[in-house]
Amino acid sequence: MAILTAKTLEFEEGASSDILAEIAPNTILMVISDEAGKKQILRLNTDAIKENETILRNTTTGLCYRLVNGVWQWVPC
């Protein structure tokens, strides 16, 4: 389960499962489904995320996903 505590994340519509085989470096995709089960794949606009800002936190491992020196990586929170 994920709990969103950050500001609103920006995304670009039109991503599809076809792009999974050709995903570009540093791309973050999110899959959502509505009440009818219709699925949509969204690509997060990572340009709007600041350096060292945590976008994901794994509460089991205590690691956070952050942009550090231009590279997305899991680091201790």
Side-chain angles (χ1 to χ4, degrees), residues 27-73:
T27 299
I28 300 173
L29 300 176
M30 195 163 90
V31 179
I32 60 172
S33 65
D34 63 15
E35 63 279 351
K38 180 180 176 191
K39 294 163 191 67
Q40 185 176 17
I41 299 173
L42 308 174
R43 183 175 58 188
L44 295 185
N45 179 358
T46 54
D47 293 336
I49 300 170
K50 297 176 186 166
E51 183 80 16
N52 290 313
E53 182 178 13
T54 296
I55 62 165
L56 292 172
R57 181 170 53 101
N58 185 325
T59 58
T60 302
T61 65
L63 296 176
C64 288
Y65 202 53
R66 293 182 182 162
L67 182 64
V68 179
N69 296 321
V71 178
W72 288 101
Q73 53 189 299

mmCIF file of all heavy atoms in Angstrom, residues 27-73:
data_model
loop_
_atom_site.group_PDB
_atom_site.id
_atom_site.type_symbol
_atom_site.label_atom_id
_atom_site.label_comp_id
_atom_site.label_asym_id
_atom_site.label_seq_id
_atom_site.Cartn_x
_atom_site.Cartn_y
_atom_site.Cartn_z
ATOM 1 N N THR A 27 12.735 7.189 -16.311
ATOM 2 C CA THR A 27 11.295 7.318 -16.515
ATOM 3 C C THR A 27 10.566 6.652 -15.349
ATOM 4 O O THR A 27 10.938 5.565 -14.930
ATOM 5 C CB THR A 27 10.873 6.644 -17.834
ATOM 6 O OG1 THR A 27 11.536 7.303 -18.904
ATOM 7 C CG2 THR A 27 9.379 6.701 -18.039
ATOM 8 N N ILE A 28 9.550 7.311 -14.845
ATOM 9 C CA ILE A 28 8.751 6.749 -13.762
ATOM 10 C C ILE A 28 7.314 6.649 -14.252
ATOM 11 O O ILE A 28 6.707 7.653 -14.636
ATOM 12 C CB ILE A 28 8.824 7.616 -12.494
ATOM 13 C CG1 ILE A 28 10.282 7.701 -12.017
ATOM 14 C CG2 ILE A 28 7.927 7.041 -11.402
ATOM 15 C CD1 ILE A 28 10.489 8.667 -10.882
ATOM 16 N N LEU A 29 6.794 5.425 -14.273
ATOM 17 C CA LEU A 29 5.424 5.183 -14.712
ATOM 18 C C LEU A 29 4.559 4.824 -13.513
ATOM 19 O O LEU A 29 5.041 4.237 -12.539
ATOM 20 C CB LEU A 29 5.371 4.038 -15.723
ATOM 21 C CG LEU A 29 6.169 4.227 -17.007
ATOM 22 C CD1 LEU A 29 6.084 2.966 -17.858
ATOM 23 C CD2 LEU A 29 5.670 5.424 -17.790
ATOM 24 N N MET A 30 3.284 5.148 -13.604
ATOM 25 C CA MET A 30 2.327 4.832 -12.558
ATOM 26 C C MET A 30 1.106 4.220 -13.222
ATOM 27 O O MET A 30 0.650 4.713 -14.247
ATOM 28 C CB MET A 30 1.948 6.133 -11.840
ATOM 29 C CG MET A 30 1.267 5.955 -10.536
ATOM 30 S SD MET A 30 1.344 7.503 -9.610
ATOM 31 C CE MET A 30 -0.141 8.277 -10.157
ATOM 32 N N VAL A 31 0.603 3.129 -12.665
ATOM 33 C CA VAL A 31 -0.590 2.483 -13.204
ATOM 34 C C VAL A 31 -1.736 2.726 -12.236
ATOM 35 O O VAL A 31 -1.604 2.499 -11.036
ATOM 36 C CB VAL A 31 -0.368 0.966 -13.385
ATOM 37 C CG1 VAL A 31 -1.623 0.305 -13.919
ATOM 38 C CG2 VAL A 31 0.817 0.704 -14.295
ATOM 39 N N ILE A 32 -2.867 3.195 -12.767
ATOM 40 C CA ILE A 32 -4.055 3.417 -11.945
ATOM 41 C C ILE A 32 -5.236 2.733 -12.607
ATOM 42 O O ILE A 32 -5.221 2.463 -13.800
ATOM 43 C CB ILE A 32 -4.353 4.921 -11.739
ATOM 44 C CG1 ILE A 32 -4.596 5.608 -13.086
ATOM 45 C CG2 ILE A 32 -3.235 5.602 -10.984
ATOM 46 C CD1 ILE A 32 -5.091 7.027 -12.968
ATOM 47 N N SER A 33 -6.252 2.442 -11.825
ATOM 48 C CA SER A 33 -7.497 1.918 -12.399
ATOM 49 C C SER A 33 -8.663 2.634 -11.735
ATOM 50 O O SER A 33 -8.614 2.979 -10.556
ATOM 51 C CB SER A 33 -7.601 0.400 -12.205
ATOM 52 O OG SER A 33 -7.693 0.079 -10.850
ATOM 53 N N ASP A 34 -9.714 2.863 -12.513
ATOM 54 C CA ASP A 34 -10.886 3.546 -11.977
ATOM 55 C C ASP A 34 -11.858 2.538 -11.373
ATOM 56 O O ASP A 34 -11.572 1.341 -11.300
ATOM 57 C CB ASP A 34 -11.549 4.422 -13.047
ATOM 58 C CG ASP A 34 -12.085 3.622 -14.225
ATOM 59 O OD1 ASP A 34 -12.218 2.377 -14.118
ATOM 60 O OD2 ASP A 34 -12.382 4.242 -15.266
ATOM 61 N N GLU A 35 -13.021 3.012 -10.958
ATOM 62 C CA GLU A 35 -14.003 2.151 -10.283
ATOM 63 C C GLU A 35 -14.531 1.040 -11.186
ATOM 64 O O GLU A 35 -15.007 0.016 -10.718
ATOM 65 C CB GLU A 35 -15.165 2.975 -9.722
ATOM 66 C CG GLU A 35 -15.996 3.700 -10.763
ATOM 67 C CD GLU A 35 -15.412 5.010 -11.271
ATOM 68 O OE1 GLU A 35 -14.416 5.495 -10.708
ATOM 69 O OE2 GLU A 35 -15.952 5.549 -12.249
ATOM 70 N N ALA A 36 -14.403 1.210 -12.503
ATOM 71 C CA ALA A 36 -14.851 0.178 -13.446
ATOM 72 C C ALA A 36 -13.721 -0.787 -13.816
ATOM 73 O O ALA A 36 -13.934 -1.720 -14.562
ATOM 74 C CB ALA A 36 -15.399 0.835 -14.712
ATOM 75 N N GLY A 37 -12.526 -0.527 -13.293
ATOM 76 C CA GLY A 37 -11.389 -1.391 -13.590
ATOM 77 C C GLY A 37 -10.614 -0.992 -14.827
ATOM 78 O O GLY A 37 -9.679 -1.682 -15.218
ATOM 79 N N LYS A 38 -10.988 0.131 -15.454
ATOM 80 C CA LYS A 38 -10.241 0.604 -16.626
ATOM 81 C C LYS A 38 -8.873 1.085 -16.168
ATOM 82 O O LYS A 38 -8.755 1.894 -15.254
ATOM 83 C CB LYS A 38 -10.990 1.746 -17.307
ATOM 84 C CG LYS A 38 -10.264 2.276 -18.521
ATOM 85 C CD LYS A 38 -11.022 3.403 -19.177
ATOM 86 C CE LYS A 38 -10.203 3.960 -20.330
ATOM 87 N NZ LYS A 38 -10.754 5.204 -20.846
ATOM 88 N N LYS A 39 -7.840 0.554 -16.799
ATOM 89 C CA LYS A 39 -6.469 0.873 -16.408
ATOM 90 C C LYS A 39 -5.890 1.972 -17.283
ATOM 91 O O LYS A 39 -6.188 2.064 -18.460
ATOM 92 C CB LYS A 39 -5.607 -0.378 -16.486
ATOM 93 C CG LYS A 39 -6.016 -1.417 -15.462
ATOM 94 C CD LYS A 39 -5.452 -2.778 -15.803
ATOM 95 C CE LYS A 39 -6.062 -3.854 -14.960
ATOM 96 N NZ LYS A 39 -7.464 -4.093 -15.203
ATOM 97 N N GLN A 40 -5.053 2.786 -16.657
ATOM 98 C CA GLN A 40 -4.380 3.858 -17.377
ATOM 99 C C GLN A 40 -2.940 3.911 -16.891
ATOM 100 O O GLN A 40 -2.675 3.799 -15.688
ATOM 101 C CB GLN A 40 -5.083 5.192 -17.129
ATOM 102 C CG GLN A 40 -4.524 6.329 -17.925
ATOM 103 C CD GLN A 40 -5.316 7.607 -17.727
ATOM 104 O OE1 GLN A 40 -6.081 7.752 -16.785
ATOM 105 N NE2 GLN A 40 -5.105 8.564 -18.615
ATOM 106 N N ILE A 41 -2.007 4.068 -17.818
ATOM 107 C CA ILE A 41 -0.595 4.188 -17.469
ATOM 108 C C ILE A 41 -0.202 5.651 -17.615
ATOM 109 O O ILE A 41 -0.447 6.269 -18.653
ATOM 110 C CB ILE A 41 0.283 3.308 -18.377
ATOM 111 C CG1 ILE A 41 -0.105 1.842 -18.203
ATOM 112 C CG2 ILE A 41 1.762 3.511 -18.052
ATOM 113 C CD1 ILE A 41 0.586 0.906 -19.162
ATOM 114 N N LEU A 42 0.378 6.210 -16.575
ATOM 115 C CA LEU A 42 0.785 7.612 -16.576
ATOM 116 C C LEU A 42 2.294 7.694 -16.442
ATOM 117 O O LEU A 42 2.911 6.913 -15.726
ATOM 118 C CB LEU A 42 0.143 8.352 -15.401
ATOM 119 C CG LEU A 42 -1.366 8.210 -15.252
ATOM 120 C CD1 LEU A 42 -1.824 8.874 -13.978
ATOM 121 C CD2 LEU A 42 -2.085 8.785 -16.453
ATOM 122 N N ARG A 43 2.885 8.637 -17.129
ATOM 123 C CA ARG A 43 4.316 8.893 -16.984
ATOM 124 C C ARG A 43 4.476 10.154 -16.158
ATOM 125 O O ARG A 43 3.954 11.214 -16.514
ATOM 126 C CB ARG A 43 4.970 9.063 -18.349
ATOM 127 C CG ARG A 43 6.475 9.254 -18.242
ATOM 128 C CD ARG A 43 7.113 9.295 -19.591
ATOM 129 N NE ARG A 43 6.511 10.384 -20.376
ATOM 130 C CZ ARG A 43 6.758 10.581 -21.655
ATOM 131 N NH1 ARG A 43 7.540 9.784 -22.310
ATOM 132 N NH2 ARG A 43 6.189 11.583 -22.274
ATOM 133 N N LEU A 44 5.199 10.059 -15.044
ATOM 134 C CA LEU A 44 5.388 11.219 -14.187
ATOM 135 C C LEU A 44 6.317 12.217 -14.847
ATOM 136 O O LEU A 44 7.294 11.834 -15.499
ATOM 137 C CB LEU A 44 5.971 10.802 -12.837
ATOM 138 C CG LEU A 44 5.104 9.914 -11.957
ATOM 139 C CD1 LEU A 44 5.773 9.700 -10.610
ATOM 140 C CD2 LEU A 44 3.715 10.484 -11.760
ATOM 141 N N ASN A 45 6.034 13.468 -14.668
ATOM 142 C CA ASN A 45 6.893 14.536 -15.163
ATOM 143 C C ASN A 45 7.997 14.733 -14.135
ATOM 144 O O ASN A 45 7.827 15.470 -13.163
ATOM 145 C CB ASN A 45 6.079 15.815 -15.368
ATOM 146 C CG ASN A 45 6.939 16.957 -15.856
ATOM 147 O OD1 ASN A 45 8.139 16.828 -16.016
ATOM 148 N ND2 ASN A 45 6.310 18.094 -16.090
ATOM 149 N N THR A 46 9.120 14.079 -14.335
ATOM 150 C CA THR A 46 10.206 14.136 -13.351
ATOM 151 C C THR A 46 10.929 15.477 -13.365
ATOM 152 O O THR A 46 11.659 15.783 -12.425
ATOM 153 C CB THR A 46 11.209 12.990 -13.574
ATOM 154 O OG1 THR A 46 11.659 13.030 -14.930
ATOM 155 C CG2 THR A 46 10.576 11.641 -13.285
ATOM 156 N N ASP A 47 10.709 16.294 -14.387
ATOM 157 C CA ASP A 47 11.321 17.622 -14.415
ATOM 158 C C ASP A 47 10.778 18.511 -13.301
ATOM 159 O O ASP A 47 11.428 19.464 -12.890
ATOM 160 C CB ASP A 47 11.073 18.306 -15.765
ATOM 161 C CG ASP A 47 11.782 17.605 -16.909
ATOM 162 O OD1 ASP A 47 12.796 16.907 -16.651
ATOM 163 O OD2 ASP A 47 11.326 17.744 -18.053
ATOM 164 N N ALA A 48 9.592 18.197 -12.815
ATOM 165 C CA ALA A 48 8.964 19.001 -11.769
ATOM 166 C C ALA A 48 9.415 18.584 -10.364
ATOM 167 O O ALA A 48 9.038 19.209 -9.383
ATOM 168 C CB ALA A 48 7.449 18.888 -11.871
ATOM 169 N N ILE A 49 10.221 17.520 -10.273
ATOM 170 C CA ILE A 49 10.666 17.025 -8.970
ATOM 171 C C ILE A 49 12.048 17.588 -8.669
ATOM 172 O O ILE A 49 12.955 17.519 -9.494
ATOM 173 C CB ILE A 49 10.677 15.482 -8.961
ATOM 174 C CG1 ILE A 49 9.256 14.971 -9.235
ATOM 175 C CG2 ILE A 49 11.203 14.950 -7.632
ATOM 176 C CD1 ILE A 49 9.174 13.486 -9.485
ATOM 177 N N LYS A 50 12.217 18.156 -7.492
ATOM 178 C CA LYS A 50 13.462 18.810 -7.115
ATOM 179 C C LYS A 50 14.525 17.795 -6.693
ATOM 180 O O LYS A 50 14.213 16.708 -6.214
ATOM 181 C CB LYS A 50 13.215 19.782 -5.956
ATOM 182 C CG LYS A 50 12.274 20.898 -6.306
ATOM 183 C CD LYS A 50 11.988 21.747 -5.109
ATOM 184 C CE LYS A 50 10.913 22.769 -5.449
ATOM 185 N NZ LYS A 50 10.377 23.400 -4.270
ATOM 186 N N GLU A 51 15.768 18.178 -6.848
ATOM 187 C CA GLU A 51 16.908 17.375 -6.419
ATOM 188 C C GLU A 51 16.765 17.010 -4.935
ATOM 189 O O GLU A 51 16.400 17.854 -4.109
ATOM 190 C CB GLU A 51 18.200 18.169 -6.644
ATOM 191 C CG GLU A 51 19.468 17.444 -6.302
ATOM 192 C CD GLU A 51 19.930 16.472 -7.380
ATOM 193 O OE1 GLU A 51 19.453 16.556 -8.523
ATOM 194 O OE2 GLU A 51 20.782 15.635 -7.060
ATOM 195 N N ASN A 52 17.010 15.767 -4.596
ATOM 196 C CA ASN A 52 16.954 15.214 -3.233
ATOM 197 C C ASN A 52 15.561 15.181 -2.626
ATOM 198 O O ASN A 52 15.409 14.914 -1.441
ATOM 199 C CB ASN A 52 17.922 15.935 -2.295
ATOM 200 C CG ASN A 52 19.352 15.613 -2.620
ATOM 201 O OD1 ASN A 52 19.711 14.453 -2.809
ATOM 202 N ND2 ASN A 52 20.196 16.623 -2.705
ATOM 203 N N GLU A 53 14.521 15.441 -3.423
ATOM 204 C CA GLU A 53 13.155 15.350 -2.918
ATOM 205 C C GLU A 53 12.696 13.892 -2.986
ATOM 206 O O GLU A 53 12.834 13.237 -4.008
ATOM 207 C CB GLU A 53 12.230 16.215 -3.775
ATOM 208 C CG GLU A 53 10.799 16.223 -3.302
ATOM 209 C CD GLU A 53 9.922 17.130 -4.151
ATOM 210 O OE1 GLU A 53 10.339 17.554 -5.236
ATOM 211 O OE2 GLU A 53 8.810 17.415 -3.705
ATOM 212 N N THR A 54 12.197 13.386 -1.878
ATOM 213 C CA THR A 54 11.722 12.005 -1.837
ATOM 214 C C THR A 54 10.385 11.903 -2.549
ATOM 215 O O THR A 54 9.469 12.657 -2.272
ATOM 216 C CB THR A 54 11.564 11.525 -0.380
ATOM 217 O OG1 THR A 54 12.851 11.531 0.236
ATOM 218 C CG2 THR A 54 10.963 10.140 -0.306
ATOM 219 N N ILE A 55 10.284 10.941 -3.492
ATOM 220 C CA ILE A 55 8.997 10.726 -4.159
ATOM 221 C C ILE A 55 8.375 9.398 -3.741
ATOM 222 O O ILE A 55 7.184 9.230 -3.849
ATOM 223 C CB ILE A 55 9.112 10.823 -5.685
ATOM 224 C CG1 ILE A 55 10.040 9.760 -6.247
ATOM 225 C CG2 ILE A 55 9.544 12.196 -6.120
ATOM 226 C CD1 ILE A 55 9.898 9.587 -7.742
ATOM 227 N N LEU A 56 9.201 8.445 -3.274
ATOM 228 C CA LEU A 56 8.706 7.165 -2.773
ATOM 229 C C LEU A 56 9.485 6.799 -1.524
ATOM 230 O O LEU A 56 10.682 7.052 -1.443
ATOM 231 C CB LEU A 56 8.903 6.046 -3.808
ATOM 232 C CG LEU A 56 8.086 6.106 -5.076
ATOM 233 C CD1 LEU A 56 8.575 5.025 -6.041
ATOM 234 C CD2 LEU A 56 6.619 5.912 -4.781
ATOM 235 N N ARG A 57 8.782 6.202 -0.570
ATOM 236 C CA ARG A 57 9.452 5.726 0.645
ATOM 237 C C ARG A 57 9.006 4.308 0.906
ATOM 238 O O ARG A 57 7.821 4.019 0.999
ATOM 239 C CB ARG A 57 9.101 6.609 1.841
ATOM 240 C CG ARG A 57 9.785 6.182 3.130
ATOM 241 C CD ARG A 57 9.618 7.219 4.228
ATOM 242 N NE ARG A 57 8.243 7.590 4.440
ATOM 243 C CZ ARG A 57 7.487 7.116 5.445
ATOM 244 N NH1 ARG A 57 7.970 6.268 6.315
ATOM 245 N NH2 ARG A 57 6.245 7.504 5.564
ATOM 246 N N ASN A 58 9.966 3.388 1.017
ATOM 247 C CA ASN A 58 9.680 1.998 1.332
ATOM 248 C C ASN A 58 9.723 1.855 2.852
ATOM 249 O O ASN A 58 10.800 1.916 3.455
ATOM 250 C CB ASN A 58 10.708 1.079 0.664
ATOM 251 C CG ASN A 58 10.382 -0.384 0.858
ATOM 252 O OD1 ASN A 58 9.877 -0.795 1.889
ATOM 253 N ND2 ASN A 58 10.715 -1.182 -0.134
ATOM 254 N N THR A 59 8.561 1.668 3.473
ATOM 255 C CA THR A 59 8.499 1.602 4.932
ATOM 256 C C THR A 59 9.046 0.293 5.478
ATOM 257 O O THR A 59 9.329 0.186 6.660
ATOM 258 C CB THR A 59 7.055 1.805 5.428
ATOM 259 O OG1 THR A 59 6.225 0.806 4.834
ATOM 260 C CG2 THR A 59 6.534 3.186 5.068
ATOM 261 N N THR A 60 9.222 -0.707 4.625
ATOM 262 C CA THR A 60 9.796 -1.979 5.060
ATOM 263 C C THR A 60 11.313 -1.896 5.133
ATOM 264 O O THR A 60 11.916 -2.325 6.114
ATOM 265 C CB THR A 60 9.398 -3.117 4.092
ATOM 266 O OG1 THR A 60 7.980 -3.181 4.041
ATOM 267 C CG2 THR A 60 9.948 -4.452 4.548
ATOM 268 N N THR A 61 11.927 -1.314 4.107
ATOM 269 C CA THR A 61 13.387 -1.249 4.053
ATOM 270 C C THR A 61 13.964 0.044 4.603
ATOM 271 O O THR A 61 15.157 0.128 4.886
ATOM 272 C CB THR A 61 13.889 -1.392 2.606
ATOM 273 O OG1 THR A 61 13.428 -0.265 1.847
ATOM 274 C CG2 THR A 61 13.412 -2.694 1.982
ATOM 275 N N GLY A 62 13.130 1.067 4.730
ATOM 276 C CA GLY A 62 13.614 2.365 5.186
ATOM 277 C C GLY A 62 14.363 3.135 4.104
ATOM 278 O O GLY A 62 15.098 4.069 4.395
ATOM 279 N N LEU A 63 14.153 2.752 2.822
ATOM 280 C CA LEU A 63 14.810 3.432 1.715
ATOM 281 C C LEU A 63 13.852 4.386 1.017
ATOM 282 O O LEU A 63 12.645 4.129 0.955
ATOM 283 C CB LEU A 63 15.346 2.414 0.710
ATOM 284 C CG LEU A 63 16.440 1.487 1.215
ATOM 285 C CD1 LEU A 63 16.804 0.464 0.148
ATOM 286 C CD2 LEU A 63 17.670 2.265 1.649
ATOM 287 N N CYS A 64 14.395 5.476 0.501
ATOM 288 C CA CYS A 64 13.619 6.467 -0.235
ATOM 289 C C CYS A 64 14.162 6.589 -1.647
ATOM 290 O O CYS A 64 15.365 6.466 -1.869
ATOM 291 C CB CYS A 64 13.710 7.825 0.452
ATOM 292 S SG CYS A 64 12.782 7.907 1.998
ATOM 293 N N TYR A 65 13.267 6.848 -2.603
ATOM 294 C CA TYR A 65 13.644 7.023 -3.997
ATOM 295 C C TYR A 65 13.793 8.512 -4.243
ATOM 296 O O TYR A 65 12.840 9.279 -4.132
ATOM 297 C CB TYR A 65 12.571 6.420 -4.901
ATOM 298 C CG TYR A 65 13.046 6.073 -6.285
ATOM 299 C CD1 TYR A 65 14.159 5.270 -6.490
ATOM 300 C CD2 TYR A 65 12.366 6.545 -7.399
ATOM 301 C CE1 TYR A 65 14.582 4.940 -7.765
ATOM 302 C CE2 TYR A 65 12.786 6.213 -8.674
ATOM 303 C CZ TYR A 65 13.893 5.412 -8.853
ATOM 304 O OH TYR A 65 14.312 5.088 -10.120
ATOM 305 N N ARG A 66 15.017 8.939 -4.558
ATOM 306 C CA ARG A 66 15.320 10.356 -4.718
ATOM 307 C C ARG A 66 16.188 10.591 -5.945
ATOM 308 O O ARG A 66 16.931 9.716 -6.368
ATOM 309 C CB ARG A 66 16.103 10.877 -3.513
ATOM 310 C CG ARG A 66 15.344 10.896 -2.233
ATOM 311 C CD ARG A 66 16.191 11.469 -1.131
ATOM 312 N NE ARG A 66 15.444 11.426 0.122
ATOM 313 C CZ ARG A 66 15.996 11.523 1.306
ATOM 314 N NH1 ARG A 66 17.288 11.668 1.421
ATOM 315 N NH2 ARG A 66 15.239 11.471 2.374
ATOM 316 N N LEU A 67 16.129 11.812 -6.450
ATOM 317 C CA LEU A 67 17.009 12.256 -7.518
ATOM 318 C C LEU A 67 18.254 12.829 -6.857
ATOM 319 O O LEU A 67 18.198 13.863 -6.196
ATOM 320 C CB LEU A 67 16.314 13.316 -8.376
ATOM 321 C CG LEU A 67 17.092 13.840 -9.574
ATOM 322 C CD1 LEU A 67 17.330 12.723 -10.591
ATOM 323 C CD2 LEU A 67 16.364 15.002 -10.221
ATOM 324 N N VAL A 68 19.384 12.119 -7.002
ATOM 325 C CA VAL A 68 20.638 12.537 -6.378
ATOM 326 C C VAL A 68 21.671 12.729 -7.481
ATOM 327 O O VAL A 68 22.007 11.786 -8.202
ATOM 328 C CB VAL A 68 21.131 11.482 -5.366
ATOM 329 C CG1 VAL A 68 22.438 11.909 -4.733
ATOM 330 C CG2 VAL A 68 20.067 11.208 -4.305
ATOM 331 N N ASN A 69 22.156 13.953 -7.624
ATOM 332 C CA ASN A 69 23.132 14.284 -8.669
ATOM 333 C C ASN A 69 22.658 13.842 -10.054
ATOM 334 O O ASN A 69 23.425 13.292 -10.845
ATOM 335 C CB ASN A 69 24.498 13.677 -8.351
ATOM 336 C CG ASN A 69 25.094 14.250 -7.083
ATOM 337 O OD1 ASN A 69 24.971 15.437 -6.817
ATOM 338 N ND2 ASN A 69 25.718 13.410 -6.295
ATOM 339 N N GLY A 70 21.368 14.039 -10.330
ATOM 340 C CA GLY A 70 20.815 13.730 -11.631
ATOM 341 C C GLY A 70 20.488 12.268 -11.883
ATOM 342 O O GLY A 70 20.121 11.898 -12.984
ATOM 343 N N VAL A 71 20.609 11.422 -10.853
ATOM 344 C CA VAL A 71 20.347 9.996 -10.995
ATOM 345 C C VAL A 71 19.314 9.573 -9.955
ATOM 346 O O VAL A 71 19.451 9.876 -8.767
ATOM 347 C CB VAL A 71 21.648 9.177 -10.789
ATOM 348 C CG1 VAL A 71 21.364 7.692 -10.887
ATOM 349 C CG2 VAL A 71 22.705 9.584 -11.787
ATOM 350 N N TRP A 72 18.246 8.850 -10.414
ATOM 351 C CA TRP A 72 17.257 8.321 -9.482
ATOM 352 C C TRP A 72 17.854 7.124 -8.771
ATOM 353 O O TRP A 72 18.412 6.226 -9.407
ATOM 354 C CB TRP A 72 15.989 7.900 -10.224
ATOM 355 C CG TRP A 72 15.226 9.091 -10.702
ATOM 356 C CD1 TRP A 72 15.212 9.593 -11.963
ATOM 357 C CD2 TRP A 72 14.410 9.947 -9.927
ATOM 358 N NE1 TRP A 72 14.419 10.700 -12.024
ATOM 359 C CE2 TRP A 72 13.921 10.946 -10.794
ATOM 360 C CE3 TRP A 72 14.036 9.971 -8.584
ATOM 361 C CZ2 TRP A 72 13.072 11.956 -10.349
ATOM 362 C CZ3 TRP A 72 13.186 10.990 -8.152
ATOM 363 C CH2 TRP A 72 12.716 11.957 -9.027
ATOM 364 N N GLN A 73 17.770 7.109 -7.428
ATOM 365 C CA GLN A 73 18.341 6.000 -6.675
ATOM 366 C C GLN A 73 17.640 5.830 -5.332
ATOM 367 O O GLN A 73 17.038 6.758 -4.807
ATOM 368 C CB GLN A 73 19.833 6.168 -6.500
ATOM 369 C CG GLN A 73 20.267 7.510 -5.906
ATOM 370 C CD GLN A 73 21.768 7.684 -5.956
ATOM 371 O OE1 GLN A 73 22.499 6.909 -5.368
ATOM 372 N NE2 GLN A 73 22.241 8.693 -6.664
#
